Amino acid sequence: MGDEDGRVDGRTERGRRRRAEIIEATLAVVTRDGAGGVTHRTVAKEAGIPTSLSVYYFATLDDLLVAALSSVADVYTARVREIIDHRDDKLRGLAELLHESAGPGRERALAERELSTLAARRPALRPVARGWRESVAELAAAVTDEPEAVAAVVAASEGLCTALLLDAEPAPVEHVHGVLARAAGLRAAPTEGAGRGR
Amino acid sequence: MGDEDGRVDGRTERGRRRRAEIIEATLAVVTRDGAGGVTHRTVAKEAGIPTSLSVYYFATLDDLLVAALSSVADVYTARVREIIDHRDDKLRGLAELLHESAGPGRERALAERELSTLAARRPALRPVARGWRESVAELAAAVTDEPEAVAAVVAASEGLCTALLLDAEPAPVEHVHGVLARAAGLRAAPTEGAGRGR
DNA sequence: GTTCTATTTGTACTAACGTTCAAGAAATCC
DNA sequence: GGATTTCTTGAACGTTAGTACAAATAGAAC
């Protein structure tokens, strides 16, 4: 705010784009080699820039990792919010989002897990990592009133994501949805075979 | 095996102890600095031995990490099995075990998470990381017959552990137990209306 | 044009890394 | 005793890490 005229400083504007590029390159490195593979040099090489430019934007490696995790978390949070706002069957939407972790979204989910593991050790990252869980809790609160059910949905989401990342064969969406529904307390009896639920 | 006489080679015996010492030192380093802090040098310094001795027992860093994760996973698996065999209220036992992650067992749980995150990237570690989930599944199978409920308990366990590690204030055991029971289908209101909540 | 700020680059420094290796000490075997 | 296997050590190899810094470029302000 403050620059109601369309004029922007082309230098800082370019800087913003560079920053985003570097974060993107960082996520690519995390995806390929894990958080341990993130160095100023590897990130710079991934982005096709000199090492010192990466240092210019992120003075320490920690800054870089914090920014990368925040970026991933923001995307996930936004998607959950989209489900909350524009989706009717919210649990189904969450199930589909989680299920992506086994397929096209696997790399992102892996990066997110790598970085949120760092969060347990670095206090600066903790609020960011908690944000994801809070947005899932918000979604769950739209489905059930019981606080314990909300906690169960959040916990199940975490665990399902882990399972999807670690298991060889991906679980079907119906399974993910079923577990979430059960955690929410919406399901009493198991649907043997192909259930035409509700 | 094969040495039914009490005689053992004092050399290999000492070697076994050294191996265990190095693994213990590795876990201490993982606890303090994370998996990224594990180097032959840091581990050796932690154990009070020269670097080359760490290399003698674990030729590569990967060997060292695999051994460390296996060690942690074995302990957890054994504890779960103990609950399965000698405990009446198995879900309560699991809840108490998980709850330790917020207190005295926090370091171990952190190390376990650090290392199982590695498992998503290194196939050699995957069976080890899966072993923990399978033992929890076995416990859950003793509580419920429905496969989906078993999956829900496993997922909830993972998520609860994450929450206990990341949250500032530890959740009470009752809460952990409640979430597990709900995932197992022991607590959920069957359908809205029929359930008197508890 | 000049001046100022933001961005970009190449280079260089110290420290730590994984790993190798030859030689020494300890236990066992003959 | 000597021969052999196992464990232990210190030093060194080449590589890569984080970081610093001065010079160069690009855009904005004047």
Side-chain angles (χ1 to χ4, degrees), chain B residues 34-129:
Chain B
V38 174
T39 73
H40 275 136
R41 283 180 164 83
T42 55
V43 168
K45 181 170 297 182
E46 177 77 28
I49 56 174
T51 305
S52 41
L53 191 53
S54 171
V55 180
Y56 174 77
Y57 284 98
F58 303 95
T60 76
L61 269 189
D62 233 71
D63 293 341
L64 187 53
L65 288 168
V66 170
L69 172 57
S70 302
S71 173
V72 182
D74 284 351
V75 172
Y76 273 116
T77 301
R79 296 205 51 186
V80 172
R81 192 156 303 275
E82 194 187 311
I83 295 174
I84 294 177
D85 292 340
H86 305 331
R87 190 68 183 265
D88 212 42
D89 189 344
K90 304 190 198 311
L91 270 195
R92 168 72 58 176
L94 179 59
E96 289 168 5
L97 177 57
L98 289 173
H99 188 255
E100 286 180 16
S101 303
R106 178 181 165 83
E107 304 189 343
R108 273 296 159 111
L110 248 174
E112 202 268 348
R113 182 176 167 93
E114 285 269 359
L115 292 169
S116 74
T117 298
L118 282 181
R121 206 172 306 282
R122 315 201 192 192
L125 278 174
R126 250 183 249 196
V128 184

Side-chain angles (χ1 to χ4, degrees), chain B residues 9-19 21 57:
Chain B
D9 192 325
R11 297 171 297 182
T12 60
E13 172 57 27
R14 192 157 50 126
R16 247 191 301 277
R17 267 180 293 152
R18 265 277 191 263
R19 223 184 117 90
E21 278 178 37
Y57 284 98

